[in-house]
C-alpha cells in the first residue's frame, strides 16, 4: 500500500493580477511590518504595491490522495485456484481563499494613507471535492486433466463503484479579520453542498458476472473422417489428433 500523499500550495490568490501593476521608484514595497503606498503626488493613481496586492488575499490549495491495491491467491482442493483483488482510491481537493485587512502606509508622512478594510466587507470562500473509486474482483479457476482430455472452468464476479461529492461555500463579513474561519463569517452568499451529477452520475455501481467452461478432447483422427477418405493401416496408431472446445 502506498503512503498518503498530501500536497499543500500555500500563498495568495490572484497572482495574475500583479502582472499589469505599476510600482514606481518612490514606493517602498514593505518595511518594518508595513506595506508602502505610492508617495509622490505626481505618481500615477493606477500604480500599486505588488507585495500588498499579493498579501490582500490569502489561502491554500491542498490535495490528498490515498491509493491502494490488494491482491491474493489461494489454491485449494488440488485443482481449484481463488484470486482476489481490491482497488481503492480516495482523492480530496480543498481550496480556501480569504480577504485580509491590510492598509497602505506612507513612510514620508508617517501615517496610513489607506486604512485597513472593514472586516464586514471581507469575503471567505472554500471549495472542497472528494472522489472515491473502488474495484473488487473474485475469480475461481478449475483445471483438471482426465488422461488425454483437459477440462477447465472459470467463474468470476467484479464490482466497481464511483462517487463524487462537492462543497462550495462563500460568506461575507468577519467579526475579526484575524479570525477567517468559514464559521466565523456572518452572511452566507452562496452554498452548494451536494453530490453533483458528474461523469454519468453522483454514485454509480457496475457489476459483472463471468462464467466460462472449456473441454478439450483428444480423439483419434480416423474416427472423425469418413471411411475410405484417409487410409490407415490396421493396428497402426494414428499420429493425428483433434481438440474440440465447448
Amino acid at each position: 500500500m502506498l503512503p498518503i500523499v498530501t500536497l499543500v500550495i500555500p500563498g495568495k490568490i490572484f497572482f495574475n493580477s500583479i502582472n499589469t501593476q505599476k510600482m514606481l521608484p518612490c514606493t517602498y514595497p514593505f518595511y518594518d511590518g508595513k506595506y508602502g503606498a505610492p508617495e509622490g503626488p505626481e505618481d500615477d493613481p493606477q500604480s500599486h504595491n505588488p507585495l500588498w496586492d499579493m498579501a490582500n488575499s490569502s489561502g491554500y490549495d491542498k490535495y490528498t490522495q490515498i491509493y491502494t491495491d490488494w491482491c491474493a491467491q489461494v489454491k485449494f482442493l488440488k485443482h481449484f485456484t481463488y484470486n482476489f483483488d481490491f482497488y481503492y482510491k480516495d482523492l480530496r481537493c480543498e481550496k480556501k481563499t480569504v480577504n485580509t485587512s491590510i492598509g497602505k502606509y506612507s513612510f514620508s508622512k508617517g501615517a496610513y494613507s489607506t486604512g485597513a478594510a472593514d472586516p464586514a466587507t471581507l469575503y471567505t470562500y472554500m471549495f472542497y471535492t472528494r472522489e472515491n473509486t473502488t474495484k473488487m474482483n473474485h475469480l475461481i479457476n478449475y483445471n483438471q486433466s482426465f488422461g488425454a482430455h483437459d477440462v477447465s472452468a472459470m467463474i468470476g464476479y467484479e464490482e466497481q463503484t464511483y462517487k463524487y461529492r462537492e462543497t462550495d461555500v462563500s460568506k461575507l463579513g468577519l467579526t475579526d479579520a484575524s479570525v477567517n474561519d468559514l464559521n466565523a463569517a456572518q452572511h452566507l452568499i452562496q452554498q452548494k453542498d451536494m453530490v453533483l451529477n458528474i461523469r454519468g452520475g453522483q454514485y454509480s455501481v457496475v457489476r459483472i458476472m463471468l462464467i466460462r467452461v472449456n473441454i478439450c478432447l483428444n480423439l483419434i483422427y480416423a474416427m472423425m473422417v469418413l471411411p475410405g477418405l484417409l487410409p490407415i493401416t490396421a493396428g497402426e496408431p494414428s499420429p493425428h489428433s483433434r481438440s474440440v472446445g465447448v
Side-chain angles (χ1 to χ4, degrees):
M1 181 176 65
L2 297 180
I4 300 174
V5 179
T6 301
L7 174 63
V8 180
I9 305 178
K12 321 307 175 186
I13 316 302
F14 314 121
F15 282 105
N16 293 333
S17 64
I18 69 173
N19 293 338
T20 58
Q21 308 297 347
K22 300 178 180 180
M23 187 183 74
L24 301 182
C26 59
T27 299
Y28 286 84
F30 184 81
Y31 177 74
D32 196 23
K34 303 179 181 65
Y35 292 88
E39 298 286 353
E42 71 282 359
D43 287 350
D44 189 331
Q46 298 299 321
S47 61
H48 285 258
N49 182 343
L51 295 185
W52 182 91
D53 292 328
M54 295 174 63
N56 193 39
S57 62
S58 63
Y60 60 82
D61 289 341
K62 182 170 66 175
Y63 301 86
T64 303
Q65 177 169 288
I66 303 173
Y67 170 85
T68 182
D69 193 357
W70 297 83
C71 59
Q73 184 182 81
V74 178
K75 294 184 178 181
F76 62 101
L77 298 179
K78 189 177 180 179
H79 304 291
F80 290 87
T81 304
Y82 169 70
N83 293 277
F84 171 79
D85 184 82
F86 178 75
Y87 163 88
Y88 177 78
K89 175 183 176 182
D90 187 347
L91 175 61
R92 308 180 189 187
C93 304
E94 182 178 337
K95 176 180 180 180
K96 183 179 181 180
T97 305
V98 294
N99 294 137
T100 58
S101 181
I102 302 175
K104 294 180 180 179
Y105 190 81
S106 174
F107 294 100
S108 62
K109 299 177 182 179
Y112 280 94
S113 60
T114 303
D118 185 352
T121 63
L122 302 180
Y123 284 88
T124 302
Y125 169 78
M126 180 166 285
F127 180 76
Y128 174 84
T129 63
R130 183 176 180 181
E131 294 182 46
N132 289 103
T133 303
T134 64
K135 187 175 181 180
M136 182 172 57
N137 292 309
H138 298 275
L139 190 64
I140 297 179
N141 287 285
Y142 166 75
N143 294 281
Q144 188 173 2
S145 298
F146 299 91
H149 312 302
D150 297 326
V151 178
S152 63
M154 179 193 73
I155 182 171
Y157 174 79
E158 178 177 294
E159 179 176 302
Q160 182 173 355
T161 64
Y162 173 81
K163 189 173 185 179
Y164 178 91
R165 285 154 287 181
E166 179 177 305
T167 300
D168 188 354
V169 181
S170 59
K171 288 187 174 182
L172 171 64
L174 296 174
T175 304
D176 189 335
S178 62
V179 182
N180 53 30
D181 186 81
L182 194 65
N183 295 326
Q186 299 173 340
H187 306 290
L188 180 64
I189 303 300
Q190 172 183 288
Q191 179 174 359
K192 292 189 299 181
D193 189 1
M194 64 186 69
V195 181
L196 299 182
N197 187 21
I198 293 181
R199 299 183 187 175
Q202 59 182 26
Y203 183 77
S204 60
V205 181
V206 179
R207 296 182 176 91
I208 301 175
M209 176 68 74
L210 303 174
I211 299 177
R212 187 180 68 187
V213 178
N214 293 327
I215 301 177
C216 185
L217 303 177
N218 292 326
L219 303 179
I220 298 178
Y221 191 74
M223 299 175 59
M224 304 186 63
V225 296
L226 294 177
L229 298 181
L230 183 61
I232 299 179
T233 304
E236 179 183 354
S238 175
H240 307 287
S241 66
R242 279 191 176 179
S243 296
V244 179
V246 180

